[in-house]
Amino acid sequence: MAVLLRPIIILLPPSAAAARSPHNIISSSALRAKLRVPPSSTTTCSPPFPRSYFWFAASLVAEVTEPATVGDTKEKQTWKSRGSSQLTRWARARKIRSGRPSELQNALKVESKTVRREDGSSSTIADKHRYEESDADGENRYLNSIEEKVIYLVSDGTGWTAEDSVHAALGQFEYCLVDKGCPVNTHLFSEVKEVDRLMEIIRHAGEEGAILLYTLADPAIAEAAKNFCQYMGVPYVDILGPITEAIGAHLGFTPSGLPRGAPGRKTALSKQYFKRIEAVDFTIKQDDGAFPKNLQKADIVLVGVSRTSKTPLSTYMAQKGYKVANVPLVLGVDPPKELFDIDQSKIYALTINSNYLQSIRLSRYRSLGITSTTSYSDMDCIKMELDYSSNLFLQNPKWPVIDVTGKAIEETAAVILRIYHDRLSKFDLPRISRRY
């Protein structure tokens, strides 16, 4: 075995906050396996090594090369999901939302390459659409005539409104996108303020057989988009127009027709903008239980075991102007005392299904190149963690408990913010209020 040594790195002991962070760490058993250290005689669910030790060990192991030995029949340990079909669908949905290629797409690529190697031709493969897939229940399905559908999004601003609207609408077709293999490709065209460019986009949409959805504030450009779509035979939807007209009729005022950023519109550097920047800065500094003394300054405090979406939830709500802190709950480690000294109505507890949590943690390990099961991903230890957090939640009845299993970040944030605003304003009907 040849070992290539790197320059010496001096590591300082990790902080107490890092030691409490289970998703910044790797368990002792995995680290021992990587460094070829004999396992200890007992196995516990104790808190594993902190991040600083792991990265040093991972960099060292990456430089170790072992030549293959004849007669060595030992196989690498690999993890295979044995979850339910529901978990399989969630995993497929996450792949599509993250933009990673699905198993179906990979299979089609492999089949396409194989046919090219056999006949030596670069022509279109006639039977590319024929593909057999086995789902989690072992049932075989045949996916025929797969055709990618195209959606064009046009905006005279950033295009976020159109993008978010389409994303929400596509959520109603996840059963099709995930299980039936009907791929959808979206193309966003932002800052479209000239009619010539608009017509060129619509012309391309017609050539690709796409549907065009637009958010155009200027009534003249919106009308041009409508007329040219009808002329080219392109299906279209005006997302912003009907809403703007309805609100104008309700207020009794005429819309300005100016896109965002145009002269005459309110500057983006408003008081609300600086409030969001301050909230994001605070949230980043308070991530993962750092600086417990600042918990009293937070608007919202999230608590939960590792991998319950605390950090992405915090950053998402921070971008809406809320100062959010999150505190990880680690088995065998008491939460900071400051957590119980602040206003308890600020605290929101997060829980999750044990099988779903295990699949997330195993996925995290695989992304780090770890294939062996450790206490961090062991089902018994996960259940002990969740029991520990549940008991803590029962001892603090003011903490709303929110199940994040299978929920998007936006869905969980909506629940939290609805409770937050209801506690502030005491409305008869729960709501999220904002004054313009």
Side-chain angles (χ1 to χ4, degrees), residues 90 308-309 313 349-354 356 386 393 400-408 411-412 415-416:
W90 284 332
T308 49
S309 306
L313 264 174
L350 305 178
T351 188
I352 192 171
N353 175 270
S354 58
Y356 192 67
L386 293 175
F393 300 159
V401 180
I402 302 164
D403 191 344
V404 301
T405 304
K407 287 184 178 178
E411 293 176 299
T412 307
V415 174
I416 293 173

Side-chain angles (χ1 to χ4, degrees), residues 199-369:
M199 290 185 175
E200 184 67 19
I201 293 171
I202 296 175
R203 189 176 295 110
H204 279 279
E207 293 173 357
E208 293 193 41
I211 182 175
L212 187 132
L213 295 85
Y214 56 89
T215 54
L216 300 169
D218 189 337
I221 297 182
E223 186 66 20
K226 173 184 174 182
N227 293 335
F228 199 61
C229 282
Q230 291 175 345
Y231 176 77
M232 295 294 296
V234 176
Y236 65 93
V237 176
D238 183 359
I239 298 175
L240 193 59
I243 299 175
T244 305
E245 292 175 3
I247 293 177
H250 180 68
L251 298 178
F253 287 88
T254 304
S256 66
L258 298 175
R260 183 180 301 175
R265 283 287 299 267
K266 185 178 179 181
T267 174
L269 301 179
S270 60
K271 192 176 296 184
Q272 183 68 20
Y273 172 82
F274 288 107
K275 180 182 177 182
R276 293 205 322 267
I277 296 299
E278 182 182 357
V280 170
D281 182 63
F282 174 87
T283 300
I284 292 174
K285 292 178 179 178
Q286 294 300 131
D287 185 37
D288 208 18
F291 305 107
K293 62 181 180 181
N294 292 334
L295 289 177
Q296 60 180 348
K297 300 178 182 179
D299 299 317
I300 296 170
V301 178
L302 306 178
V303 296
V305 300
S306 174
R307 299 289 148 188
T308 49
S309 306
K310 295 186 300 297
T311 297
L313 264 174
S314 300
T315 54
Y316 177 81
M317 290 189 288
Q319 292 173 6
K320 293 183 174 293
Y322 301 91
K323 294 181 179 179
V324 186
N326 69 80
V327 178
L329 299 180
V330 185
L331 185 64
V333 178
D334 293 333
K337 63 181 183 62
E338 291 85 354
L339 182 66
F340 305 99
D341 295 336
I342 65 173
D343 182 2
Q344 298 297 286
S345 63
K346 294 182 176 182
I347 303 175
Y348 297 80
L350 305 178
T351 188
I352 192 171
N353 175 270
S354 58
N355 291 323
Y356 192 67
L357 178 58
Q358 185 186 43
S359 68
I360 294 175
R361 290 185 175 183
L362 286 169
S363 177
R364 170 65 172 166
Y365 262 16
R366 289 198 301 275
S367 69
L368 297 174

Side-chain angles (χ1 to χ4, degrees), residues 390-408:
S390 297
N391 291 332
L392 182 63
F393 300 159
L394 289 174
Q395 296 170 16
N396 297 272
K398 287 188 176 181
W399 300 359
V401 180
I402 302 164
D403 191 344
V404 301
T405 304
K407 287 184 178 178

